[in-house]
Amino acid sequence: MRTALLQSSGRPGSVEANLEVLDEAAGRAAAAGAGLLAAPEMFLTGYAIGDDIARLAEPADGASAAAVAGIAARHGVAVVYGYPERAGEAVFNSAQLVSADGDRLAHYRKTHLYGPFERAHFTPGEQPVVQAELNGLRVGLMICYDVEFPENVRAHALAGTDLLVVPTAQMHPYQFVPESLIPVRAFENQMYVAYVNRVGREGEFDFVGLSTLAGPDGVARTRAGRGEELVLADVDPAFLDASREANPYLTDRRPGLYGALV
């Protein structure tokens, strides 16, 4: 499945403008043969927007979700996007997967909040593994800091995730995460990992870009630069099967030794 990563910070504070950016990117992704388009963390609203996070937060089935479903169906491409989710009094840093038919397939709430900014504005999620079937692949969702915890990604590996999609807002000086950690996560867990980042300055943050799709051999299939960009790479189920057959990490585990981890 060809997968497109939309490296962009959109227009912080304007949901309408960001939906237009997503619509244009979906058209380009579909024209390039992509079956999935992934956008960054908090793409619909912007990340460093302070109290506007709570003001712009919407339910998982709100107006913006309907708009994204329309974009997906119009262009015939599945979409993963990040946004602030309103659920009663709580606000979650969430990501949603919508099928090419416009159906909501999976919804994830960030479980590991990074730093005082996120802890001031969000409630942490409690479900570590969220998956859906898409074009013959088991697609999992995670958000930014979550992927830096090896236990999180290993839980996805044990649950059979083939492609882990990670909307992110990774900032300077942590560029080693897309450059080094993401390919290692893909290799040690025998999956594809699509890590799609924001870019440029936003408030106090300087996002590093470098959106990456890495394969189970630890090799980056595509990596963006430091500007706004749409990059594409293929997720190959046959290559994944062969890699899992050759790599013994998951079958050589000895879970009885790992009790101290929890």
Side-chain angles (χ1 to χ4, degrees):
M1 178 177 67
R2 184 154 295 174
T3 300
L5 310 183
L6 172 59
Q7 179 167 285
S8 172
S9 288
R11 307 296 176 263
S14 175
V15 173
E16 181 179 1
N18 292 327
L19 287 169
E20 290 176 358
V21 173
L22 189 66
D23 190 20
E24 189 272 338
R28 285 192 286 147
L36 173 65
L37 168 67
E41 180 177 6
M42 292 285 288
F43 181 75
L44 284 190
T45 61
Y47 180 88
I49 59 173
D51 291 341
D52 278 348
I53 289 174
R55 182 178 66 83
L56 295 174
E58 296 184 24
D61 59 354
S64 291
V68 174
I71 290 170
R74 183 161 57 254
H75 296 289
V77 61
V79 176
V80 171
Y81 66 100
Y83 76 107
E85 177 201 357
R86 167 72 65 185
E89 294 300 311
V91 175
F92 297 91
N93 184 335
S94 295
Q96 190 148 233
L97 167 62
V98 178
S99 77
D101 296 323
D103 298 324
R104 293 168 51 236
L105 296 182
H107 184 268
Y108 175 77
R109 294 167 172 172
K110 189 174 186 176
T111 55
H112 294 73
L113 301 180
Y114 178 77
F117 176 83
E118 290 193 6
R119 289 193 286 270
H121 291 285
F122 299 110
T123 298
E126 297 294 336
Q127 187 174 355
V129 176
V130 172
Q131 302 168 310
E133 299 296 322
L134 180 70
N135 297 341
L137 294 168
R138 186 169 296 180
V139 176
L141 298 180
M142 199 172 278
I143 299 175
C144 197
Y145 195 38
D146 292 329
V147 79
E148 298 178 39
F149 293 81
E151 302 90 341
N152 261 9
V153 187
R154 180 52 53 86
H156 268 274
L158 297 177
T161 294
D162 299 315
L163 168 62
L164 183 63
V165 182
V166 189
T168 191
Q170 186 61 268
M171 66 282 291
H172 180 81
Y174 303 113
Q175 52 266 27
F176 69 88
V177 174
E179 289 175 339
S180 301
L181 188 147
I182 293 304
V184 169
R185 285 286 180 271
F187 179 75
E188 68 189 4
N189 290 289
Q190 288 300 289
M191 62 175 64
Y192 286 88
V193 180
Y195 185 84
V196 54
N197 199 10
R198 303 181 70 83
V199 66
R201 295 204 67 89
E202 192 177 330
E204 63 185 285
F205 305 108
D206 183 10
F207 299 116
V208 301
L210 301 175
S211 296
T212 302
L213 195 154
D217 53 357
V219 175
R221 298 300 192 272
T222 189
R223 178 174 284 133
R226 300 298 184 98
E228 297 217 349
E229 194 172 351
L230 184 74
V231 296
L232 298 101
D234 291 332
V235 174
D236 182 352
F239 183 85
L240 180 58
D241 289 343
S243 183
R244 286 172 170 172
E245 183 70 24
N247 187 306
Y249 275 158
L250 298 181
T251 55
D252 285 353
R253 292 172 64 251
R254 296 181 62 193
L257 300 179
Y258 311 146
L261 292 176
V262 294

mmCIF file of all heavy atoms in Angstrom, residues 145-182:
data_model
loop_
_atom_site.group_PDB
_atom_site.id
_atom_site.type_symbol
_atom_site.label_atom_id
_atom_site.label_comp_id
_atom_site.label_asym_id
_atom_site.label_seq_id
_atom_site.Cartn_x
_atom_site.Cartn_y
_atom_site.Cartn_z
ATOM 1 N N TYR A 145 5.325 11.080 21.262
ATOM 2 C CA TYR A 145 6.096 10.594 22.412
ATOM 3 C C TYR A 145 5.812 9.128 22.717
ATOM 4 O O TYR A 145 6.690 8.415 23.212
ATOM 5 C CB TYR A 145 5.734 11.477 23.610
ATOM 6 C CG TYR A 145 6.639 11.396 24.816
ATOM 7 C CD1 TYR A 145 8.024 11.274 24.692
ATOM 8 C CD2 TYR A 145 6.091 11.486 26.092
ATOM 9 C CE1 TYR A 145 8.829 11.229 25.823
ATOM 10 C CE2 TYR A 145 6.891 11.441 27.221
ATOM 11 C CZ TYR A 145 8.269 11.312 27.077
ATOM 12 O OH TYR A 145 9.056 11.263 28.197
ATOM 13 N N ASP A 146 4.610 8.667 22.401
ATOM 14 C CA ASP A 146 4.245 7.270 22.661
ATOM 15 C C ASP A 146 5.240 6.293 22.041
ATOM 16 O O ASP A 146 5.536 5.239 22.619
ATOM 17 C CB ASP A 146 2.855 6.955 22.095
ATOM 18 C CG ASP A 146 1.735 7.673 22.811
ATOM 19 O OD1 ASP A 146 1.871 7.935 24.024
ATOM 20 O OD2 ASP A 146 0.715 7.973 22.159
ATOM 21 N N VAL A 147 5.747 6.607 20.841
ATOM 22 C CA VAL A 147 6.599 5.666 20.116
ATOM 23 C C VAL A 147 7.990 5.572 20.736
ATOM 24 O O VAL A 147 8.752 4.649 20.439
ATOM 25 C CB VAL A 147 6.688 6.064 18.625
ATOM 26 C CG1 VAL A 147 7.674 7.210 18.408
ATOM 27 C CG2 VAL A 147 7.054 4.872 17.747
ATOM 28 N N GLU A 148 8.327 6.506 21.615
ATOM 29 C CA GLU A 148 9.635 6.492 22.255
ATOM 30 C C GLU A 148 9.698 5.533 23.443
ATOM 31 O O GLU A 148 10.774 5.352 24.043
ATOM 32 C CB GLU A 148 10.021 7.914 22.657
ATOM 33 C CG GLU A 148 10.148 8.846 21.447
ATOM 34 C CD GLU A 148 10.476 10.273 21.817
ATOM 35 O OE1 GLU A 148 11.276 10.479 22.753
ATOM 36 O OE2 GLU A 148 9.920 11.195 21.175
ATOM 37 N N PHE A 149 8.573 4.923 23.780
ATOM 38 C CA PHE A 149 8.520 3.905 24.825
ATOM 39 C C PHE A 149 8.504 2.535 24.152
ATOM 40 O O PHE A 149 7.515 2.175 23.500
ATOM 41 C CB PHE A 149 7.281 4.109 25.704
ATOM 42 C CG PHE A 149 7.344 5.372 26.517
ATOM 43 C CD1 PHE A 149 7.014 6.592 25.959
ATOM 44 C CD2 PHE A 149 7.768 5.331 27.836
ATOM 45 C CE1 PHE A 149 7.101 7.764 26.699
ATOM 46 C CE2 PHE A 149 7.849 6.497 28.588
ATOM 47 C CZ PHE A 149 7.520 7.714 28.022
ATOM 48 N N PRO A 150 9.576 1.759 24.277
ATOM 49 C CA PRO A 150 9.645 0.494 23.536
ATOM 50 C C PRO A 150 8.525 -0.471 23.890
ATOM 51 O O PRO A 150 8.091 -1.249 23.043
ATOM 52 C CB PRO A 150 11.023 -0.072 23.919
ATOM 53 C CG PRO A 150 11.443 0.666 25.142
ATOM 54 C CD PRO A 150 10.798 2.011 25.057
ATOM 55 N N GLU A 151 8.033 -0.416 25.134
ATOM 56 C CA GLU A 151 6.943 -1.305 25.523
ATOM 57 C C GLU A 151 5.695 -1.056 24.692
ATOM 58 O O GLU A 151 4.948 -1.983 24.363
ATOM 59 C CB GLU A 151 6.606 -1.114 27.017
ATOM 60 C CG GLU A 151 7.752 -1.346 27.960
ATOM 61 C CD GLU A 151 8.564 -0.092 28.252
ATOM 62 O OE1 GLU A 151 8.485 0.892 27.467
ATOM 63 O OE2 GLU A 151 9.299 -0.099 29.249
ATOM 64 N N ASN A 152 5.451 0.207 24.364
ATOM 65 C CA ASN A 152 4.279 0.572 23.563
ATOM 66 C C ASN A 152 4.315 -0.099 22.197
ATOM 67 O O ASN A 152 3.339 -0.697 21.730
ATOM 68 C CB ASN A 152 4.245 2.091 23.354
ATOM 69 C CG ASN A 152 3.306 2.798 24.298
ATOM 70 O OD1 ASN A 152 2.791 2.202 25.237
ATOM 71 N ND2 ASN A 152 3.095 4.067 24.055
ATOM 72 N N VAL A 153 5.453 0.023 21.526
ATOM 73 C CA VAL A 153 5.555 -0.506 20.167
ATOM 74 C C VAL A 153 5.588 -2.030 20.202
ATOM 75 O O VAL A 153 5.008 -2.694 19.337
ATOM 76 C CB VAL A 153 6.785 0.073 19.455
ATOM 77 C CG1 VAL A 153 6.791 -0.343 17.987
ATOM 78 C CG2 VAL A 153 6.789 1.600 19.552
ATOM 79 N N ARG A 154 6.222 -2.615 21.203
ATOM 80 C CA ARG A 154 6.236 -4.060 21.311
ATOM 81 C C ARG A 154 4.815 -4.596 21.509
ATOM 82 O O ARG A 154 4.470 -5.664 20.987
ATOM 83 C CB ARG A 154 7.163 -4.494 22.455
ATOM 84 C CG ARG A 154 7.282 -6.003 22.689
ATOM 85 C CD ARG A 154 7.619 -6.786 21.435
ATOM 86 N NE ARG A 154 8.776 -6.354 20.703
ATOM 87 C CZ ARG A 154 10.032 -6.750 20.946
ATOM 88 N NH1 ARG A 154 10.288 -7.570 21.932
ATOM 89 N NH2 ARG A 154 11.020 -6.324 20.183
ATOM 90 N N ALA A 155 3.981 -3.878 22.257
ATOM 91 C CA ALA A 155 2.585 -4.302 22.415
ATOM 92 C C ALA A 155 1.886 -4.364 21.065
ATOM 93 O O ALA A 155 1.104 -5.285 20.793
ATOM 94 C CB ALA A 155 1.845 -3.359 23.361
ATOM 95 N N HIS A 156 2.182 -3.409 20.179
ATOM 96 C CA HIS A 156 1.612 -3.440 18.831
ATOM 97 C C HIS A 156 2.144 -4.628 18.040
ATOM 98 O O HIS A 156 1.393 -5.289 17.310
ATOM 99 C CB HIS A 156 1.925 -2.129 18.099
ATOM 100 C CG HIS A 156 0.880 -1.094 18.259
ATOM 101 N ND1 HIS A 156 -0.228 -1.022 17.443
ATOM 102 C CD2 HIS A 156 0.744 -0.088 19.155
ATOM 103 C CE1 HIS A 156 -0.992 -0.004 17.826
ATOM 104 N NE2 HIS A 156 -0.429 0.575 18.859
ATOM 105 N N ALA A 157 3.441 -4.908 18.180
ATOM 106 C CA ALA A 157 4.020 -6.038 17.468
ATOM 107 C C ALA A 157 3.352 -7.342 17.888
ATOM 108 O O ALA A 157 3.015 -8.181 17.047
ATOM 109 C CB ALA A 157 5.522 -6.104 17.729
ATOM 110 N N LEU A 158 3.146 -7.508 19.177
ATOM 111 C CA LEU A 158 2.526 -8.737 19.680
ATOM 112 C C LEU A 158 1.062 -8.836 19.275
ATOM 113 O O LEU A 158 0.501 -9.934 19.204
ATOM 114 C CB LEU A 158 2.665 -8.810 21.199
ATOM 115 C CG LEU A 158 4.108 -8.895 21.716
ATOM 116 C CD1 LEU A 158 4.133 -8.888 23.231
ATOM 117 C CD2 LEU A 158 4.813 -10.129 21.161
ATOM 118 N N ALA A 159 0.431 -7.682 19.009
ATOM 119 C CA ALA A 159 -0.965 -7.662 18.564
ATOM 120 C C ALA A 159 -1.089 -7.762 17.047
ATOM 121 O O ALA A 159 -2.195 -7.728 16.518
ATOM 122 C CB ALA A 159 -1.657 -6.396 19.064
ATOM 123 N N GLY A 160 0.056 -7.860 16.354
ATOM 124 C CA GLY A 160 0.015 -8.094 14.913
ATOM 125 C C GLY A 160 -0.030 -6.865 14.039
ATOM 126 O O GLY A 160 -0.357 -6.965 12.844
ATOM 127 N N THR A 161 0.322 -5.701 14.566
ATOM 128 C CA THR A 161 0.333 -4.499 13.737
ATOM 129 C C THR A 161 1.360 -4.636 12.607
ATOM 130 O O THR A 161 2.516 -4.990 12.844
ATOM 131 C CB THR A 161 0.658 -3.255 14.590
ATOM 132 O OG1 THR A 161 -0.420 -3.031 15.510
ATOM 133 C CG2 THR A 161 0.846 -2.013 13.733
ATOM 134 N N ASP A 162 0.938 -4.346 11.382
ATOM 135 C CA ASP A 162 1.815 -4.368 10.208
ATOM 136 C C ASP A 162 2.406 -2.995 9.914
ATOM 137 O O ASP A 162 3.574 -2.874 9.548
ATOM 138 C CB ASP A 162 1.044 -4.833 8.978
ATOM 139 C CG ASP A 162 0.482 -6.227 9.129
ATOM 140 O OD1 ASP A 162 1.208 -7.123 9.605
ATOM 141 O OD2 ASP A 162 -0.705 -6.428 8.788
ATOM 142 N N LEU A 163 1.571 -1.972 10.037
ATOM 143 C CA LEU A 163 1.975 -0.589 9.787
ATOM 144 C C LEU A 163 1.536 0.255 10.974
ATOM 145 O O LEU A 163 0.341 0.345 11.257
ATOM 146 C CB LEU A 163 1.328 -0.065 8.497
ATOM 147 C CG LEU A 163 1.422 1.453 8.241
ATOM 148 C CD1 LEU A 163 2.877 1.894 8.109
ATOM 149 C CD2 LEU A 163 0.619 1.831 6.999
ATOM 150 N N LEU A 164 2.499 0.846 11.658
ATOM 151 C CA LEU A 164 2.209 1.730 12.781
ATOM 152 C C LEU A 164 2.315 3.168 12.290
ATOM 153 O O LEU A 164 3.378 3.599 11.835
ATOM 154 C CB LEU A 164 3.202 1.477 13.918
ATOM 155 C CG LEU A 164 2.993 2.287 15.197
ATOM 156 C CD1 LEU A 164 1.647 1.962 15.841
ATOM 157 C CD2 LEU A 164 4.133 2.022 16.184
ATOM 158 N N VAL A 165 1.212 3.908 12.360
ATOM 159 C CA VAL A 165 1.180 5.294 11.891
ATOM 160 C C VAL A 165 1.259 6.213 13.103
ATOM 161 O O VAL A 165 0.443 6.095 14.038
ATOM 162 C CB VAL A 165 -0.088 5.579 11.073
ATOM 163 C CG1 VAL A 165 -0.077 7.018 10.560
ATOM 164 C CG2 VAL A 165 -0.186 4.607 9.890
ATOM 165 N N VAL A 166 2.239 7.131 13.075
ATOM 166 C CA VAL A 166 2.546 7.952 14.249
ATOM 167 C C VAL A 166 2.514 9.433 13.868
ATOM 168 O O VAL A 166 3.553 10.013 13.503
ATOM 169 C CB VAL A 166 3.922 7.582 14.837
ATOM 170 C CG1 VAL A 166 4.133 8.287 16.184
ATOM 171 C CG2 VAL A 166 4.057 6.073 15.008
ATOM 172 N N PRO A 167 1.366 10.102 13.936
ATOM 173 C CA PRO A 167 1.354 11.558 13.807
ATOM 174 C C PRO A 167 2.184 12.160 14.945
ATOM 175 O O PRO A 167 2.070 11.734 16.100
ATOM 176 C CB PRO A 167 -0.127 11.922 13.946
ATOM 177 C CG PRO A 167 -0.864 10.655 13.611
ATOM 178 C CD PRO A 167 0.017 9.554 14.122
ATOM 179 N N THR A 168 3.016 13.144 14.623
ATOM 180 C CA THR A 168 3.943 13.643 15.636
ATOM 181 C C THR A 168 4.150 15.139 15.530
ATOM 182 O O THR A 168 3.838 15.767 14.519
ATOM 183 C CB THR A 168 5.282 12.881 15.532
ATOM 184 O OG1 THR A 168 6.089 13.173 16.658
ATOM 185 C CG2 THR A 168 6.028 13.264 14.272
ATOM 186 N N ALA A 169 4.675 15.694 16.622
ATOM 187 C CA ALA A 169 5.079 17.098 16.683
ATOM 188 C C ALA A 169 6.449 17.126 17.359
ATOM 189 O O ALA A 169 6.607 17.594 18.480
ATOM 190 C CB ALA A 169 4.063 17.933 17.457
ATOM 191 N N GLN A 170 7.444 16.587 16.658
ATOM 192 C CA GLN A 170 8.781 16.434 17.227
ATOM 193 C C GLN A 170 9.596 17.693 16.989
ATOM 194 O O GLN A 170 9.707 18.172 15.870
ATOM 195 C CB GLN A 170 9.481 15.223 16.609
ATOM 196 C CG GLN A 170 10.821 14.897 17.228
ATOM 197 C CD GLN A 170 10.692 14.561 18.700
ATOM 198 O OE1 GLN A 170 10.805 15.445 19.555
ATOM 199 N NE2 GLN A 170 10.432 13.298 19.003
ATOM 200 N N MET A 171 10.185 18.198 18.063
ATOM 201 C CA MET A 171 10.869 19.482 17.992
ATOM 202 C C MET A 171 12.378 19.347 18.208
ATOM 203 O O MET A 171 12.869 18.309 18.675
ATOM 204 C CB MET A 171 10.289 20.463 19.008
ATOM 205 C CG MET A 171 10.505 20.082 20.476
ATOM 206 S SD MET A 171 9.405 18.795 21.118
ATOM 207 C CE MET A 171 7.836 19.638 21.152
ATOM 208 N N HIS A 172 13.101 20.402 17.836
ATOM 209 C CA HIS A 172 14.528 20.502 18.112
ATOM 210 C C HIS A 172 14.740 20.430 19.623
ATOM 211 O O HIS A 172 13.962 21.019 20.377
ATOM 212 C CB HIS A 172 15.039 21.839 17.561
ATOM 213 C CG HIS A 172 16.497 22.076 17.780
ATOM 214 N ND1 HIS A 172 17.449 21.531 16.959
ATOM 215 C CD2 HIS A 172 17.154 22.782 18.736
ATOM 216 C CE1 HIS A 172 18.654 21.907 17.392
ATOM 217 N NE2 HIS A 172 18.500 22.660 18.464
ATOM 218 N N PRO A 173 15.760 19.688 20.115
ATOM 219 C CA PRO A 173 16.874 19.055 19.420
ATOM 220 C C PRO A 173 16.729 17.538 19.287
ATOM 221 O O PRO A 173 17.720 16.814 19.351
ATOM 222 C CB PRO A 173 18.052 19.387 20.347
ATOM 223 C CG PRO A 173 17.449 19.251 21.724
ATOM 224 C CD PRO A 173 16.014 19.720 21.583
ATOM 225 N N TYR A 174 15.509 17.045 19.090
ATOM 226 C CA TYR A 174 15.279 15.598 19.131
ATOM 227 C C TYR A 174 15.166 14.975 17.742
ATOM 228 O O TYR A 174 14.435 14.018 17.540
ATOM 229 C CB TYR A 174 14.030 15.309 19.962
ATOM 230 C CG TYR A 174 14.132 15.880 21.356
ATOM 231 C CD1 TYR A 174 13.290 16.917 21.757
ATOM 232 C CD2 TYR A 174 15.080 15.414 22.253
ATOM 233 C CE1 TYR A 174 13.395 17.454 23.033
ATOM 234 C CE2 TYR A 174 15.188 15.941 23.524
ATOM 235 C CZ TYR A 174 14.340 16.963 23.910
ATOM 236 O OH TYR A 174 14.446 17.497 25.166
ATOM 237 N N GLN A 175 15.930 15.512 16.784
ATOM 238 C CA GLN A 175 15.875 14.968 15.429
ATOM 239 C C GLN A 175 16.404 13.534 15.351
ATOM 240 O O GLN A 175 16.154 12.829 14.370
ATOM 241 C CB GLN A 175 16.625 15.857 14.445
ATOM 242 C CG GLN A 175 18.035 16.192 14.837
ATOM 243 C CD GLN A 175 18.134 17.509 15.592
ATOM 244 O OE1 GLN A 175 17.194 17.930 16.252
ATOM 245 N NE2 GLN A 175 19.280 18.164 15.474
ATOM 246 N N PHE A 176 17.119 13.081 16.389
ATOM 247 C CA PHE A 176 17.594 11.690 16.383
ATOM 248 C C PHE A 176 16.428 10.706 16.399
ATOM 249 O O PHE A 176 16.591 9.539 16.011
ATOM 250 C CB PHE A 176 18.519 11.421 17.577
ATOM 251 C CG PHE A 176 17.827 11.432 18.909
ATOM 252 C CD1 PHE A 176 17.247 10.276 19.414
ATOM 253 C CD2 PHE A 176 17.741 12.592 19.653
ATOM 254 C CE1 PHE A 176 16.591 10.281 20.641
ATOM 255 C CE2 PHE A 176 17.095 12.605 20.879
ATOM 256 C CZ PHE A 176 16.515 11.450 21.374
ATOM 257 N N VAL A 177 15.240 11.147 16.828
ATOM 258 C CA VAL A 177 14.098 10.228 16.864
ATOM 259 C C VAL A 177 13.719 9.786 15.444
ATOM 260 O O VAL A 177 13.702 8.580 15.151
ATOM 261 C CB VAL A 177 12.903 10.844 17.621
ATOM 262 C CG1 VAL A 177 11.688 9.926 17.517
ATOM 263 C CG2 VAL A 177 13.272 11.062 19.081
ATOM 264 N N PRO A 178 13.416 10.710 14.517
ATOM 265 C CA PRO A 178 13.126 10.240 13.155
ATOM 266 C C PRO A 178 14.348 9.654 12.455
ATOM 267 O O PRO A 178 14.212 8.731 11.637
ATOM 268 C CB PRO A 178 12.619 11.489 12.432
ATOM 269 C CG PRO A 178 13.132 12.642 13.221
ATOM 270 C CD PRO A 178 13.176 12.170 14.640
ATOM 271 N N GLU A 179 15.540 10.167 12.764
ATOM 272 C CA GLU A 179 16.727 9.705 12.060
ATOM 273 C C GLU A 179 17.157 8.305 12.497
ATOM 274 O O GLU A 179 17.576 7.484 11.663
ATOM 275 C CB GLU A 179 17.881 10.682 12.291
ATOM 276 C CG GLU A 179 17.696 12.009 11.587
ATOM 277 C CD GLU A 179 18.787 13.013 11.921
ATOM 278 O OE1 GLU A 179 19.455 12.848 12.967
ATOM 279 O OE2 GLU A 179 18.965 13.966 11.144
ATOM 280 N N SER A 180 17.070 8.018 13.798
ATOM 281 C CA SER A 180 17.634 6.780 14.334
ATOM 282 C C SER A 180 16.616 5.887 15.026
ATOM 283 O O SER A 180 16.560 4.678 14.778
ATOM 284 C CB SER A 180 18.767 7.110 15.322
ATOM 285 O OG SER A 180 19.788 7.855 14.703
ATOM 286 N N LEU A 181 15.811 6.455 15.915
ATOM 287 C CA LEU A 181 14.925 5.630 16.728
ATOM 288 C C LEU A 181 13.837 4.966 15.903
ATOM 289 O O LEU A 181 13.531 3.784 16.123
ATOM 290 C CB LEU A 181 14.327 6.474 17.854
ATOM 291 C CG LEU A 181 13.510 5.748 18.923
ATOM 292 C CD1 LEU A 181 13.665 6.437 20.270
ATOM 293 C CD2 LEU A 181 12.030 5.686 18.563
ATOM 294 N N ILE A 182 13.238 5.675 14.973
ATOM 295 C CA ILE A 182 12.125 5.116 14.204
ATOM 296 C C ILE A 182 12.567 3.907 13.370
ATOM 297 O O ILE A 182 11.894 2.864 13.397
ATOM 298 C CB ILE A 182 11.459 6.200 13.324
ATOM 299 C CG1 ILE A 182 10.779 7.247 14.228
ATOM 300 C CG2 ILE A 182 10.447 5.577 12.372
ATOM 301 C CD1 ILE A 182 9.755 6.688 15.204
#
